[in-house]
Amino acid sequence: MDKPVIVTVDDDPGVSRAVARDLRRRYGQEYRIVRAETARDGIEAVREMRLRGDDVAAILADYRMPQMNGVQFLEAAMDLYPYARRVLLTAYADTDAAIQAINVVDLDHYLLKPWDPPDEKFYPVIDGQLDAWLRTERIERSELRVVGDRWSAQSYKVRDFLARNHVPYQWMLAEDPEGEQLVKAAGENCHLPLVVTADGTTLESPDQATLAMAVGLSTTPATDFYDLIVVGGGPAGLGAAVYGASEGLNTVLVEAYSSGGQAGQSSRIENYLGFPDGVSGQQLADRARRQALRFGAELLTARKVTMLEPRGQARVVGFKDGGEIAAHAVILATGVTYRRLEAPGLEEFVGRGVFYGAALTEAPACKDAEVHIVGAANSAGQAAVYLAGFASKVHLLVRGDGLEKSMSHYLIEQIAALPNVDVHLQTEVVGGGGTGHLERLTLSTKGEERTVDAQWLFVFIGAEPYTSWLGETIERDAKGFVLTGPDLVQGGRRPRNWPLRREPYFLETNVPGVLAAGDVRAESIKRVASAVGEGAMAVALVHRYLEKQ
């Protein structure tokens, strides 16, 4: 097998030779070093390698180049080699550009020139990047094809599941020429949506578990006992999985749908630390998922947890479709779901014009149409800004008399600056209707009702925790949120059987060894950053618990 390639591009001949020399000295036995002195030559070399089937492990590009800068070069190279590690070579004066590139091209690292001595400033960085590349699963999945109806709830579920699990697919309508051919090939009684895999396997109206297995998502646990089980794959759960696995705990994360939770549906998160240009919820979730896998965490998708039971020192989790796993400790991070609108006539159109959450797969179909959004918190504001790039008009329906109490100031300013976004205060949806899909809404503004044409309604209201499956095992408040720490004691629910009769720490539930983190926990701060922090803190408390067993 040919050696994998490390590519270096720098328009300064002296620097270019120095970089290649240092790379060959350390990595020449295992990697082929290819250098180019212009961005154009570099892109041409990368294209030729792609055609030959060469494997590129890392690409190092200088920021200041005349034909295209290093960020533009890496962006172009990323399309050809998405798994190659990307390193920007930059002078101190260009560090701001390097930081911005982290978001633009998912930059893996930037190196300041000069890097003498290389043993201290150059090789440790490249060692880390090559190690990460070797650990990355680089099997490129051929694109799935999904055939369905425009206003089919089941078609929407399939597309949403694939999109939120970062599985590429091609969507086509059953009446399109290619879609029609695929349906005919599947047989006369084909049930849509039809999913066609790369090897030609067809799945007709597949359920979530079948679809997950078909696209290569892990659904079966590797063992029946772990150090730590994390239930829920939102920011809190992913944070717990990353810290648990990185600190040596045999960790498994169980997610019923897709990683990211509610945050994963956000079109743009602009106030998360370290992302000055913002990051989509899907990007953030995907990075966290890959980070957890890199540290050795096991991720199970499309497995719904319906039981938690203490058995001696073990904490046992059971699945809806059968089977169970056990661990020394469990972290509950199941998050919350958007509350359903109770307006008559809407429930039958879920997935057919009515969507709970951002439903990013639907945004392109909203082009030049009017959309309605219900909600006044950040998630609704982010959706309004995002959908304004597609829709001719966005109507933000707010039950209260303003946005200031529930939405971040930066989002309020962005919405005010968009000419095609109208905010309707003291307005509620009181009804809906249509034939086959949503066609109209009945709105009430200050008690006065009116009916408007509407095919798209996105709902971001309230929060309901997914905790009913806990039964009487875990103490919860009246709304279903898990009680932890001082809230247990203040509510008169002093935990039984606690070691030394101590009070639980703030993330610990009434069952020793079971903790809660993120939105599912009563009195938690409903922010992505705080959820990640609670996930990390929960792991620290798990260690403390295990030390005393």
Side-chain angles (χ1 to χ4, degrees):
M1 180 179 291
D2 292 336
K3 295 178 182 179
V5 181
I6 300 175
V7 179
T8 172
V9 183
D10 197 308
D11 68 315
D12 185 322
V15 175
S16 178
R17 286 192 294 270
V19 174
R21 179 198 64 218
D22 287 344
L23 289 172
R24 289 194 182 97
R25 184 177 298 167
R26 178 72 166 246
Y27 309 106
Q29 293 295 322
E30 298 178 353
Y31 295 87
R32 182 160 59 93
I33 313 302
V34 174
R35 81 178 175 94
E37 293 187 1
T38 69
R40 184 175 295 130
D41 289 345
I43 286 294
E44 188 61 32
V46 170
R47 285 174 179 160
E48 290 177 3
M49 284 183 268
R50 184 61 177 168
L51 291 174
R52 289 197 304 265
D54 294 336
D55 213 354
V56 174
I59 303 174
L60 289 69
D62 182 51
Y63 175 68
R64 289 182 177 268
M65 293 189 291
Q67 296 165 336
M68 65 173 70
N69 64 38
V71 175
Q72 295 168 328
F73 177 86
L74 290 173
E75 192 171 14
M78 183 170 60
D79 293 335
L80 299 169
Y81 284 98
Y83 299 106
R85 307 299 289 184
R86 295 173 285 278
V87 180
L88 191 67
L89 309 178
T90 180
Y92 180 79
D94 298 321
T95 52
D96 286 346
I99 293 171
Q100 292 176 6
I102 292 174
N103 293 327
V104 175
V105 294
D106 200 9
L107 187 69
D108 295 303
H109 206 283
Y110 68 89
L111 271 169
L112 291 176
K113 300 185 291 185
W115 46 74
D116 289 330
D119 287 334
E120 295 180 11
K121 298 183 179 181
F122 186 67
Y123 294 140
V125 171
I126 305 303
D127 286 346
Q129 297 306 314
L130 294 177
D131 180 65
W133 178 78
L134 289 170
R135 291 171 179 265
T136 301
E137 180 186 356
R138 299 187 299 279
I139 299 174
E140 297 187 21
R141 300 171 180 167
S142 299
E143 195 170 69
L144 293 173
R145 288 170 290 177
V146 180
V147 186
D149 295 322
R150 165 66 277 192
W151 296 112
S152 163
Q154 185 61 23
S155 293
Y156 163 70
K157 289 179 181 178
V158 167
R159 291 184 292 125
D160 187 60
F161 180 81
L162 294 173
R164 290 176 60 183
N165 282 287
H166 314 283
V167 178
Y169 69 93
Q170 180 184 359
W171 162 247
M172 58 191 73
L173 297 174
E175 57 265 28
D176 292 341
E178 186 177 354
E180 186 177 13
Q181 292 172 7
L182 291 173
V183 171
K184 287 182 179 179
E188 293 183 2
N189 298 318
C190 176
H191 297 286
L192 298 179
L194 173 68
V195 178
V196 183
T197 66
D199 62 3
T201 301
T202 58
L203 306 173
E204 298 182 20
S205 191
D207 59 32
Q208 191 170 290
T210 302
L211 186 58
M213 288 188 288
V215 300
L217 297 175
S218 178
T219 60
T220 305
T223 183
D224 57 4
F225 197 91
Y226 297 84
D227 293 323
L228 173 63
I229 298 171
V230 181
V231 184
L238 288 168
V242 167
Y243 279 89
S246 67
E247 294 173 12
L249 297 177
N250 184 14
T251 302
V252 59
L253 183 150
V254 184
E255 168 55 43
Y257 194 72
S258 66
S259 58
Q262 272 193 324
Q265 300 181 60
S266 295
S267 54
R268 200 77 180 163
I269 302 171
E270 298 189 66
N271 58 353
Y272 190 74
L273 185 68
F275 293 89
D277 295 322
V279 61
S280 76
Q282 284 191 349
Q283 288 175 321
L284 188 63
D286 184 51
R287 291 184 182 191
R289 180 188 61 82
R290 288 189 282 120
Q291 193 174 16
L293 290 171
R294 179 192 171 198
F295 284 122
E298 184 180 340
L299 271 61
L300 303 182
T301 305
R303 297 301 298 273
K304 192 170 185 177
V305 175
T306 55
M307 182 271 287
L308 172 62
E309 179 181 304
R311 296 181 191 168
Q313 296 299 312
R315 303 293 176 258
V316 181
V317 164
F319 301 116
K320 180 180 179 180
D321 55 358
E324 59 185 35
I325 54 177
H328 294 298
V330 172
I331 295 176
L332 303 174
T334 50
V336 296
T337 58
Y338 291 112
R339 184 164 52 83
R340 297 278 181 153
L341 275 176
E342 297 180 357
L346 290 183
E347 190 63 26
E348 63 179 291
F349 298 124
V350 174
R352 297 187 293 162
V354 177
F355 305 95
Y356 288 87
L360 301 183
T361 57
E362 302 304 301
C366 297
K367 185 174 178 59
D368 299 329
E370 294 195 16
V371 303
H372 291 76
I373 298 173
V374 179
N378 279 4
S379 53
Q382 290 161 354
V385 173
Y386 179 71
L387 290 171
F390 298 89
S392 60
K393 178 71 72 173
V394 175
H395 301 277
L396 183 60
L397 312 179
V398 179
R399 184 174 59 178
D401 56 7
L403 296 172
E404 291 74 17
K405 293 181 180 179
S406 54
M407 189 178 293
S408 295
H409 181 67
Y410 78 91
L411 275 173
I412 296 175
E413 288 188 326
Q414 288 183 18
I415 289 171
L418 292 171
N420 63 332
V421 177
D422 289 345
V423 179
H424 305 267
L425 302 178
Q426 300 181 37
T427 300
E428 298 181 66
V429 177
V430 296
T435 302
H437 63 90
L438 182 69
E439 294 178 325
R440 58 188 174 274
L441 290 172
T442 302
L443 307 179
S444 175
T445 301
K446 298 180 181 180
E448 295 185 7
E449 294 188 2
R450 68 185 189 278
T451 299
V452 298
D453 293 335
Q455 290 187 323
W456 307 95
L457 177 66
F458 299 89
V459 183
F460 303 84
I461 59 170
E464 295 181 340
Y466 173 56
T467 57
S468 59
W469 60 278
L470 292 169
E472 297 182 358
T473 304
I474 301 297
E475 295 284 359
R476 292 166 286 150
D477 66 12
K479 295 181 179 180
F481 291 92
V482 175
L483 291 169
T484 59
D487 292 326
L488 278 168
V489 179
Q490 292 169 8
R493 300 175 174 87
R494 186 176 295 275
R496 297 187 297 266
N497 302 322
W498 274 91
L500 304 178
R501 296 183 179 178
R502 69 171 177 83
E503 294 183 1
Y505 293 99
F506 82 107
L507 298 180
E508 293 176 322
T509 71
N510 59 298
V511 176
V514 178
L515 302 93
D519 289 359
V520 74
R521 190 179 67 82
E523 305 301 326
S524 65
I525 304 299
K526 304 300 188 280
R527 287 288 186 270
V528 176
S530 60
V532 173
E534 288 192 8
M537 184 63 184
V539 171
L541 295 178
V542 167
H543 282 294
R544 185 174 298 183
Y545 168 76
L546 294 177
E547 289 171 0
K548 296 181 179 180
Q549 298 308 300

